[in-house]
Amino acid sequence: MNNGKSDFKMTSALLFRLLPIQVLLAMIGAVNGIVSSLFASNFVGVDAMSAVGLYSPINLLIGAFSTMLVGGSGILCGRYMGRNEPEKMQGVFSTDLIFSVVLAVLFTVLLLIMGVFDLTGFFTQDETIRRIFNSYLIGQAAGILPFIVGNQLSAFLSLENKNRRTTVASLIYIGVNLLFNYLFVNLFRMEALGLALASSLGMWVFCIVEALYFLQPDAHLRFDLTDLHLHAGLEIAKIGIPGAAATGYQAVRGILVNKLVLAFVGGAGLSAFAAANTLLGFVWALPGGMLAVSRMLISISLGEEDRRTLKDVFMNMFFRFIPLMCALVLLLIALAEPLTRLYYRDPLDPVYQMTVWGFRILPLCMPLSIVCMHFVCYGQASGKQFLVHLLSILDGVVFVAGFTAILIRFIGMNSVYVANVLNGIGCIAVIVLYACFRYKRVPKTLDELMVIPENFGAAEEDRIDVTVRNMEEVVTVAEKVHAFCRKKGIDERRAYFAGLFMEEMAGNVVGHGFLKDNKKHTVETRTVYKDGSVILRIKDDCIPFDPAERKEIADPDDAAKNIGIRMVYRMARDIQYQNILGLNVLTIRI
Amino acid sequence: MLNITKTQNEGNLTVKLAGRLDTTTAPDLESQLKDGIESVKDLVLDFKDLDYISSAGLRVLLSLQKIMNAQGSMKLINVGEVIQEIFDVTGFSDILTIEG
């Protein structure tokens, strides 16, 4: 039996199992951007690329509000899931969707007014670019509602373990987007309007495919217009605002940096940055996906007060995610020129070299960003509001805009790229300094770096965590549980039952769950002593199985059929089963 | 760990169990008792020193009871409080003969 390493492996395996779909989800917006930018630069013109670049901060701003809802509702649902409160999850689901629709309608109207009445002088004074930009805005307005609602549905589909549907929706979206771009831009020559309409229509298809799941009878989450809880909405906003504020600040940063680039470098700089940024947006899907899977486990770990899993998420980030990201960064740097040639062909054109350097320097900030994003996510979920707000402002605006403003006179367009890397270094320094400030010294452990409260989760002496792989280990852990309970002063009868329930339920997993497929499995067991009670948690990665299905099945010819499960269900004070992110989680209270 | 002490007197077999009758020890009990059980008419299982029984042990008891129903009798003696409670909850107290 081994405790620490096996828990980490299960957490790591889970994170990597969930990663592809989250990366795919994060790629949707990026694919949209890349397709648009490729069609813009190759079939419409360089000015169209400027329009794409000008729209980017607006997209970020809308994305910020969507992120607020996704982040807040995701963390809240994860918390309720950890506490086993499904009715509250329903309320969060409906409330979140209602808020999403209202928000989307507001933004749609705003963009239409700006585009139709030429109210975009703030973004650029160039008449040609503004005309194109206005058309682009009108086309994008059509896709705001499915963009925001689709993002929410993706998160809830993940919680329902229906990521395959999101994969299908994503693939359909990509295909539809490409088709409509070809039709509207190539065939009908609708230029910027066609570019934007293509992605908007693709987004509608994506959203509809996802929404259809929640109309099916087997969906756990159901939309109910009357299930609007304003307090839940406020809670979603409160939790989600720091994360959304970060994106909002990035929108401000985008506007500031655009203005600096236009003033010191010119339109070529804007086009170069748009090209590098848009294509790298595709690669940002990987850190984005990493954060999405980590966020799920972080919020559930906090709900369950599971210190070990929480730390394992961060260990996985340091020792799995970051090395993977670094390898990808090296590849991107090596491919800087080929990637540039997708947009611009003439090496003598200033925009070409600026784009090449963009691909060489910008990727360096990605591993740094992974660290920063994880700490921000944990800070959001655990209520470290000061740190989250501080990082939002520094990461979102101050560092990048500030370093750009300082360096642009000396190194031109490269200042924007270098500023992004310096931003990552600065944010990590702030995270470490925060921990130093809290402990009045340099943090020595991961717990201290994360500033995990000492009273979080059960104290070491009040719990035992054991991973089991075979029946011998099941029996051994049952004996350990019995001995642990007696040591805590639990009477012999309840100590006996604690050991017995552990043997019966963990034994069922090993004896039956392990044999259902050809994969290697483990069972994580946890026994917690809390306020005179004993809580057993048995977590496994076998196929979904709710033992309650068998508690009533008795065979008159075989009194021993399902006897273990029946015994536990009759004698335990409380038993709860959940399937969380593909893991069977059984909690027994004695 | 399970200690099994058998005392046979012609058709009467008394088996003292000490320790834990769980998933890993139940097969051992089953194989030791079923070997040569054909000649036993009265089987007595003494639970005085048995600290623990799980569903695996219950299955072995049920299996032995079915055999002894066909050729004689089986009873359990000196059953502890908690184990008795398990027999009651599972309905095994209606199937097994429990004395003292």
Side-chain angles (χ1 to χ4, degrees), chain A residues 225-295:
Chain A
L225 198 57
T226 62
D227 201 8
L228 169 66
H229 300 274
L230 278 176
H231 69 272
L234 292 172
E235 187 69 16
I236 289 169
K238 189 179 153 202
I239 297 171
I241 275 175
T247 315
Y249 293 135
Q250 285 170 21
V252 171
R253 171 178 85 189
I255 293 170
L256 289 174
V257 168
N258 280 352
K259 286 197 172 291
L260 281 167
V261 169
L262 278 171
F264 287 91
V265 182
L270 209 60
S271 300
F273 191 44
N277 225 14
T278 307
L279 193 58
L280 287 176
F282 194 75
V283 184
W284 274 110
L286 185 57
M290 289 171 175
L291 179 69
V293 296
S294 295
R295 179 193 286 133

Side-chain angles (χ1 to χ4, degrees), chain B residues 1-92:
Chain B
M1 184 139 136
L2 180 71
N3 283 323
I4 304 166
T5 309
K6 295 195 283 192
T7 309
Q8 187 150 14
N9 182 7
E10 291 181 355
N12 300 321
L13 175 63
T14 301
V15 179
K16 281 189 181 176
L17 301 176
R20 294 171 65 91
L21 183 52
D22 57 31
T23 307
T24 52
T25 58
D28 188 32
L29 176 67
E30 187 168 28
S31 65
Q32 282 209 34
L33 289 196
K34 282 188 176 173
D35 194 23
I37 202 172
E38 308 80 29
S39 59
V40 175
K41 283 195 72 178
D42 298 302
L43 174 61
V44 175
L45 297 172
D46 186 346
F47 275 26
K48 183 166 178 282
D49 293 321
L50 187 69
D51 301 320
Y52 176 93
I53 189 169
S54 68
S55 63
L58 295 180
R59 286 192 189 88
V60 172
L61 293 180
L62 185 67
S63 172
L64 289 171
Q65 183 70 64
K66 283 183 179 172
I67 294 171
M68 295 312 297
N69 281 348
Q71 63 192 52
S73 70
M74 180 176 109
K75 67 181 178 187
L76 277 55
I77 61 173
N78 300 320
V79 174
E81 251 186 68
V82 182
I83 294 178
Q84 180 65 56
E85 186 175 348
I86 290 173
F87 287 154
D88 292 336
V89 164
T90 56
F92 268 55

Side-chain angles (χ1 to χ4, degrees), chain A residues 75-333:
Chain A
I75 285 169
L76 207 55
C77 273
R79 201 184 287 170
Y80 290 144
M81 195 183 266
R83 291 182 200 159
N84 202 26
E85 293 176 316
E87 64 289 336
K88 285 189 178 172
M89 278 177 63
Q90 290 281 0
V92 168
F93 177 68
S94 296
T95 303
D96 178 73
L97 287 181
I98 293 167
F99 272 53
S100 298
V101 170
V102 169
L103 189 68
V105 168
L106 287 172
F107 272 117
T108 303
V109 169
L110 182 66
L111 288 196
L112 282 172
I113 291 172
M114 282 169 62
V116 169
F117 296 107
D118 191 21
L119 298 174
T120 52
F122 169 77
F123 294 93
T124 180
Q125 293 296 316
D126 186 313
E127 293 283 341
T128 310
I129 295 176
R130 206 159 84 231
R131 182 182 52 79
I132 296 172
F133 185 48
N134 290 340
S135 299
Y136 195 71
L137 271 184
I138 291 166
Q140 287 288 350
I144 300 299
L145 192 143
F147 170 66
I148 295 178
V149 173
N151 274 348
Q152 315 303 310
L153 294 177
S154 298
F156 287 115
L157 280 170
S158 268
L159 284 173
E160 289 241 18
N161 226 15
K162 295 291 176 193
N163 293 312
R164 192 176 295 174
R165 179 167 286 264
T166 306
T167 310
V168 170
S170 308
L171 293 171
I172 293 173
Y173 167 78
I174 292 168
V176 168
N177 189 25
L178 268 169
L179 174 68
F180 281 128
N181 260 289
Y182 175 74
L183 283 173
F184 296 159
V185 177
N186 249 28
L187 242 53
F188 303 149
R189 304 277 179 202
M190 290 169 71
E191 298 187 342
L193 179 63
L195 271 175
L197 272 180
S199 71
S200 294
L201 287 172
M203 209 70 208
W204 271 104
V205 173
F206 172 81
C207 185
I208 287 167
V209 171
E210 287 198 319
L212 284 173
Y213 168 75
F214 295 97
L215 300 175
Q216 289 176 9
D218 57 342
H220 291 106
L221 294 170
R222 292 228 165 271
F223 176 70
D224 183 353
L225 198 57
T226 62
D227 201 8
L228 169 66
H229 300 274
L230 278 176
H231 69 272
L234 292 172
E235 187 69 16
I236 289 169
K238 189 179 153 202
I239 297 171
I241 275 175
T247 315
Y249 293 135
Q250 285 170 21
V252 171
R253 171 178 85 189
I255 293 170
L256 289 174
V257 168
N258 280 352
K259 286 197 172 291
L260 281 167
V261 169
L262 278 171
F264 287 91
V265 182
L270 209 60
S271 300
F273 191 44
N277 225 14
T278 307
L279 193 58
L280 287 176
F282 194 75
V283 184
W284 274 110
L286 185 57
M290 289 171 175
L291 179 69
V293 296
S294 295
R295 179 193 286 133
M296 281 190 251
L297 274 193
I298 287 170
S299 62
I300 291 172
S301 301
L302 286 168
E304 289 184 348
E305 290 208 28
D306 184 347
R307 181 186 282 253
R308 167 172 288 175
T309 302
L310 184 62
K311 283 169 58 179
D312 282 347
V313 171
F314 276 75
M315 294 288 282
N316 184 78
M317 182 262 292
F318 282 119
F319 296 108
R320 298 278 192 273
F321 284 170
I322 296 216
L324 178 62
M325 194 70 236
C326 287
L328 187 57
V329 165
L330 289 174
L331 181 65
L332 285 168
I333 292 171

Side-chain angles (χ1 to χ4, degrees), chain A residues 471 506-517 542 545 562, chain B residues 59:
Chain A
M471 207 53 86
N508 256 326
V509 176
V510 173
H512 299 285
F514 279 22
L515 304 176
K516 296 289 183 192
D517 54 33
C542 302
F545 172 66
N562 298 316
Chain B
R59 286 192 189 88

